[in-house]
Each structure stands twice: as C-alpha cells, then as structure tokens.
Amino acid sequence: MDRLELIEVAGNSYVVSGKYGIGVYLDRSSKTAVCIDSGPNAAVIEKVCTRISDRGYQILAVVHTHGHAVNHGGNLYLKKRFPNLRIYATHLASFLIENPHLEPLVFEAGGESDTKPDQNKENADALVTDYLPSADGIFHVHTIPFKIVSLPGHSPGMVGFVTPDHVLYCGDALFGPKTLNKQDLLFFNDLRAARKSFKKLSMMKLNAYVLYHGGAFKTVTSLINKHLTLMKDTSAFLEALIHEQPSTLEQLVQQVMKKYKFEDDLHRYGLTTSIIRSYVKELLQEKRIVAKVDNGLLLFSKSAATI
Ligand SMILES: [Zn+2]
C-alpha cells in the first residue's frame, strides 16, 4: 500500500491521501486530532495515526458521516491505541457501526459477509460514545466546534461536518470523478433525498468540500451535474424497460446487471437490488410507473396516465 500523507485542505483541516478520504482536524492549541471516519481497516488507520503522531498530535475522537463498513473499520484499532477515544455518530449510523453484521442485510446480499463473526464481537469494544442528531446543528469535540449538516440520500441519517475552517466533510453525499468514471450506477438509497442534499451542497458557502471517495474540491457544481446526468440515465433506462413490458424487481436487476456488465456475485447483486429499488421508488413517487401484484408477483408497469 502507498504511503499515506496528510494533505492540507484549509487551515487545520486535512484529508488523507489515497483511496479513502479520511478527514483529520488538528487542534493546534491542545495538540489533539479529530478524525472524520476511520477508514476500512486497521492497516489504513495505523498509517494515519503515524502521520498524526509524527506531528506531535494525539487522536481525541472520531466522528462518523455514516455507518458503512469502509467508514468505520479503523475504530477498533483507534480504541485500542487511544482507550479514551470518543466515537461520535448519528443513531442510524451507530446502528450499523455497532452491528456490522447487519450491513449485508441492508444490501440484501443474502447474508454473505466479509466481516467474520469474531470481528463483530470485537466491535463491541468500540461502541459509539456520543450520539449526534441527524439534523443541522453544532456540537463540540472537547472545545472544537463542528457544524452538522444533514445530507441524507446515500445512507439513512448521513451527515457531513463543517470544521472551523469552513471545510465540509460530506461523506458519500457525492462521489469523486474517479468513481463517476468507472461507475455508472451510483449508490443512493433515497434519490429524492439525494437530490435535495445536492441542492443544499451547491448553496453552501464553504472553503472546500471533502468527499470520502474523491478527496478535496473547491467547488462541486460540475460534480453534482455529472451525478444528475447519471441518475437521469439510469432512471430513463428503467422507465423504458418497464414501459416496454411489466417487470419484477428481479428482472429489472438482471437487465441493469447486463447493461453495466456486472459480474455475477452476491455482493454486487445485493447492492444493485438496493439501488434499483430506490429508482423504482422514485418512479412510483412521480407516478411514471405503477405497482401491482399479479398472481403472487410484484409487477411494475406503465401508469395509466402515460399510455
Ligand atoms: Zn457509504
């Protein structure tokens, strides 16, 4: 693995180089550091810890944007190294952080999991210590004020954090160009909420935005537009399929996996099902399709108004 560095975003706000945009805020007066998310595993966060301690700082807390495994995999290592570590998360995120075996259920991957049961048990040693509201507001880690920005859409209860340097760490509310170039199907579980979060992000006055998959950006307008285009394409593809022929969720998933040339594996299937369900939900909300049960099968079809 490459050497990880702390890249200065603005003032005391940093982002870790490499695949995972872990945030680091260094409080110069107290020589303490706050991590924003903790990476996928001990190996990554250990390197981050080394960079932080090289500068003479101690990690005081980790604040979580949401509860996906790649965002909290470093907690156990941090807790062992810093026994007084505070772990902050919203109630919804902490549900997944403290019960990582539930994540595959959320993705509906048929119970397949990369997390072994003993790792789940060990996670009981790195429980969330401080619950955050999912609504906008301010909280303090020791004396450092952070602003919570509610950003639902990708994962329930997802939030971003604004540091005193006006840098917003926005988790997976947006994905960076690398992800957008290789992935046409974006992971959002509530598209309406995601669109609202995009609008909110574009209207905020900030020095920079940090994406967990993509790093730091001065502005995000063109990224947002790329997200909207990809979402529109997926939605139009599904609507056309459904208009052509009444379809079940499984048939839609099959067509999407074919279109994007996804490999046949349980995790990919589970993720795709979860994403397609959110698109179908939006098409239903907008009355572009209807749902009915026919002979025990849930079928989506053209709505009467569009015939
Ligand atoms: Zn995520």
Side-chain angles (χ1 to χ4, degrees), residues 66 68 71 154 172 187:
H66 63 300
H68 287 157
N71 301 79
H154 167 71
D172 291 344
F187 183 19

Side-chain angles (χ1 to χ4, degrees), residues 187-233:
F187 183 19
F188 290 103
N189 91 340
D190 183 337
L191 293 164
R192 270 195 177 178
R195 290 178 206 280
K196 269 192 201 158
S197 294
F198 293 165
K199 207 164 253 175
K200 190 170 179 177
L201 287 171
S202 66
M203 279 159 62
M204 291 181 80
K205 294 260 174 291
L206 297 159
N207 283 330
Y209 301 77
V210 177
L211 320 182
Y212 193 69
H213 300 281
F217 293 85
K218 281 272 166 213
T219 59
V220 288
T221 320
S222 71
L223 273 180
I224 289 175
N225 288 335
K226 277 185 195 144
H227 282 69
L228 291 172
T229 306
L230 287 174
M231 283 156 70
K232 202 174 159 190
D233 289 351

